[in-house]
Amino acid sequence: MLSKIQIAQRIAKEIKNGQYINLGIGIPTLVANYIPDDLDVVLQSENGLLGIGPFPTEDNVDADLINAGKQTISMVDGSVLFSSAESFGMIRGGHVHLTILGAMEVSENGDIANWKIPGKMVKGMGGAMDLVASAENIIVAMQHCSKDGKSKLLKNCSLPITGINCVKKIVTDLAYLKVLPEGGFKLVERAPGVSVEEIRSKTEGRLVVEGDIPEMDL
Amino acid sequence: MINKTVKDAEEATADIKSNAVLMLGGFGLCGIPENSIKALLKKDISGLTCISNNAGVDDFGIGLMLQKKMVKKMISSYVGENAEFERQLLSGELEVELIPQGTLAERTRAGGAGIPAFFTPAGVGTEVAEGKEMREFDGKLYILESWLKADFSLVKAWKGDTAGNLIYKGTARNFNPMMAAAGAITIAEVEELVPAGELDPNQIHTPGIYVQRIFQGKDYEKRIEKRTVRE
């Protein structure tokens, strides 16, 4: 089984040179720490920044410079600041190449649910619906099962939907899977020490297994 | 040049009355109109509709207006950091309309730019789309969303001049420029107010045409929600 950091490390390997990337809150934020040094990529923060840098040193904390998770941040050289309208314009316009975000559920046709649990306080969707409606490539980082052991890779989402037919890849603590255009989770890699049978038993949606499934190389 | 300067937040907000529709700039606590909110708290008004990406925290920003029960309705994208908000919402005292963040930004931009409605993909297939007109363009479905406008927009900038021109700093820009344009009366507070002519016209973010009143803010707390530093 992968730790959260290992999930982030595996997702970082999917990043390509020259990409503009939006990272969601949680495990996706950790991905920034594992982007290979030889890649030139730019991280977008939907509150109005291209070029997120590391967290600031104590002396450089600036209340006027935060990420979408409201954490204080720094900027890299070549950064640019803009309004929320411009920010979502570049998201909807398809200029942000890759969105990495967390999820509560993903269905076998690529629907994602990650904003609302009936009966619990609704905090809001923030920018998630705009991001999933527009990004050409969406990778979900999540645990394979919920805390009470239920599969989060489903035939149909049971929770309120954030976006439809949008998730392309999923990295969980157990596996790396691709969502097939015709529907279904194609198993691409197993987490070290995890069997295909375990993944099958913990995937409620249609799991497609073809040939030998290699272990992840982290 | 037209002089938009008023003395302070109290003068700027004097004619804001109960049941007004307000826009308040800011993302989290970053770039919020601290002085104007403090001035509103001294007034005996209620029934406000507040359009703002977030609702502050319990003891700062719009959270303080909620504590005083001044707000009837919030229109926001994310309201997660506020216990009093949750209490009022669950008890039915407060009405909330949640809007995808990009749609909120664009509806506000549309309000200021005279575009009554536009199509966006955000929310297709979700409860956000319920009851809304849908249309297909190039094989993909979009939702019709309408403009947002306000009686008063309360915005905050880094620098401004007496003509109402504004420059923002860092990610404190966020919703402020679109809200400045979408308010019938826009009240801008700035950390540094200078005479017209001192700001470089090439560097101005919000043209003064959108700003009706501007004042020099004071005692900025600029509270940080999540102070995160390098280890």
Side-chain angles (χ1 to χ4, degrees):
Chain A
M1 287 214 323
L2 302 186
S3 65
K4 288 179 180 177
I5 285 172
Q6 287 173 314
I7 293 174
Q9 287 172 330
R10 179 61 193 85
I11 289 176
K13 294 176 76 169
E14 298 300 301
I15 290 171
K16 296 182 178 66
N17 197 41
Q19 282 184 324
Y20 289 89
I21 304 166
N22 184 288
L23 301 176
I25 295 162
I27 298 174
T29 305
L30 298 173
V31 173
N33 300 332
Y34 304 104
I35 298 171
D37 288 340
D38 57 339
L39 297 187
D40 286 325
V41 299
V42 178
L43 301 181
Q44 200 242 22
S45 195
E46 65 264 27
N47 55 321
L49 166 64
L50 276 171
I52 305 173
F55 294 131
T57 57
E58 192 66 54
D59 295 345
N60 289 311
V61 167
D62 181 353
D64 291 327
L65 199 59
I66 62 170
N67 64 18
K70 294 158 193 156
Q71 296 170 308
T72 48
I73 50 166
S74 67
M75 293 187 284
V76 299
D77 289 345
S79 284
V80 56
L81 296 152
F82 36 83
S83 72
S84 300
E86 180 92 43
S87 180
F88 283 95
M90 64 183 70
I91 289 167
R92 279 191 309 267
H95 306 282
V96 176
H97 304 112
L98 174 61
T99 289
I100 302 169
L101 75 176
M104 301 173 191
E105 295 176 348
V106 176
S107 78
E108 64 185 38
N109 64 345
D111 296 354
I112 178 171
N114 71 350
W115 78 283
K116 183 176 180 180
I117 301 173
K120 287 203 179 169
M121 164 71 182
V122 182
K123 295 183 171 187
M125 66 292 279
M129 285 190 182
D130 311 89
L131 282 158
V132 300
S134 304
E136 63 189 56
N137 194 4
I138 296 172
I139 304 179
V140 163
M142 66 176 189
Q143 304 300 316
H144 210 94
C145 296
S146 62
K147 288 199 179 92
D148 51 358
K150 290 195 181 111
S151 178
K152 295 168 77 171
L153 287 84
L154 306 172
K155 184 163 180 52
N156 295 298
C157 291
S158 65
L159 295 169
I161 297 285
T162 309
I164 52 171
N165 306 124
C166 56
V167 176
K168 300 288 191 294
K169 299 172 183 172
I170 306 158
V171 177
T172 73
D173 50 338
L174 303 182
Y176 165 30
L177 312 102
K178 284 185 178 170
V179 177
L180 295 170
E182 68 272 24
F185 302 107
K186 182 173 168 50
L187 183 57
V188 182
E189 295 173 7
R190 298 173 290 124
V194 175
S195 69
V196 171
E197 275 323 297
E198 181 178 355
I199 295 164
R200 196 188 298 279
S201 73
K202 291 180 175 171
T203 304
E204 190 229 75
R206 189 170 80 95
L207 186 73
V208 177
V209 182
E210 287 172 359
D212 280 346
I213 306 299
E215 280 195 359
M216 282 176 205
D217 179 21
L218 290 164
Chain B
M1 191 55 69
I2 304 168
N3 191 333
K4 312 280 180 75
T5 312
V6 295
K7 185 162 85 352
D8 54 20
E10 284 71 25
E11 183 184 337
T13 58
D15 56 349
I16 298 182
K17 299 198 166 56
S18 289
N19 303 312
V21 176
L22 309 183
M23 285 185 178
L24 298 100
F27 182 97
L29 301 179
C30 182
I32 64 171
E34 291 185 25
N35 281 249
S36 289
I37 291 172
K38 271 188 205 158
L40 288 179
L41 290 167
K42 293 183 200 157
K43 292 163 69 84
D44 185 22
I45 56 172
S46 62
L48 299 173
T49 295
C50 291
I51 304 170
S52 175
N53 188 55
N54 311 93
V57 293
D58 275 315
D59 58 348
F60 199 57
I62 295 174
L64 295 169
M65 296 168 65
L66 292 165
Q67 299 279 1
K68 276 199 73 186
K69 301 193 168 53
M70 299 168 74
V71 183
K72 175 185 69 180
K73 182 177 182 181
M74 283 298 312
I75 300 177
S76 305
S77 87
Y78 189 83
V79 292
E81 324 293 347
N82 194 317
E84 176 62 15
F85 183 98
E86 183 168 352
R87 192 198 64 72
Q88 291 187 19
L89 179 62
L90 295 173
S91 70
E93 292 167 59
L94 181 68
E95 191 186 337
V96 180
E97 187 179 341
L98 292 168
I99 298 178
Q101 195 174 127
T103 300
L104 179 61
E106 193 63 15
R107 287 179 68 184
T108 305
R109 199 194 71 79
I115 305 284
F118 58 92
F119 284 96
T120 177
V124 169
T126 77
E127 62 188 61
V128 166
E130 284 169 16
K132 290 178 184 155
E133 187 180 332
M134 308 270 289
R135 197 178 296 181
E136 192 178 310
F137 295 91
D138 293 339
K140 188 171 164 177
L141 278 172
Y142 295 82
I143 303 169
L144 187 68
E145 294 280 6
S146 61
W147 58 11
L148 284 171
K149 298 186 201 188
D151 300 324
F152 295 88
S153 282
L154 312 180
V155 303
K156 191 259 168 182
W158 179 38
K159 292 180 182 177
D161 68 18
T162 53
N165 297 307
L166 304 176
I167 297 176
Y168 308 95
K169 177 169 157 276
T171 53
R173 192 180 321 182
N174 54 65
F175 285 82
N176 282 297
M178 297 83 76
M179 290 183 168
I185 296 197
T186 289
I187 298 166
E189 59 180 86
V190 294
E191 289 178 56
E192 187 183 351
L193 181 64
V194 300
E198 285 202 9
L199 298 179
D200 178 354
N202 290 298
Q203 304 298 325
I204 289 165
H205 298 130
T206 290
I209 189 171
Y210 300 124
V211 175
Q212 280 66 47
R213 301 168 192 166
I214 187 166
F215 65 92
Q216 166 75 56
K218 61 181 184 191
D219 302 331
Y220 278 104
E221 192 177 330
K222 298 222 264 183
R223 201 184 287 192
I224 293 172
E225 249 174 285
K226 293 178 186 166
R227 175 181 290 268
T228 328
V229 295
R230 218 176 290 182
E231 284 171 15

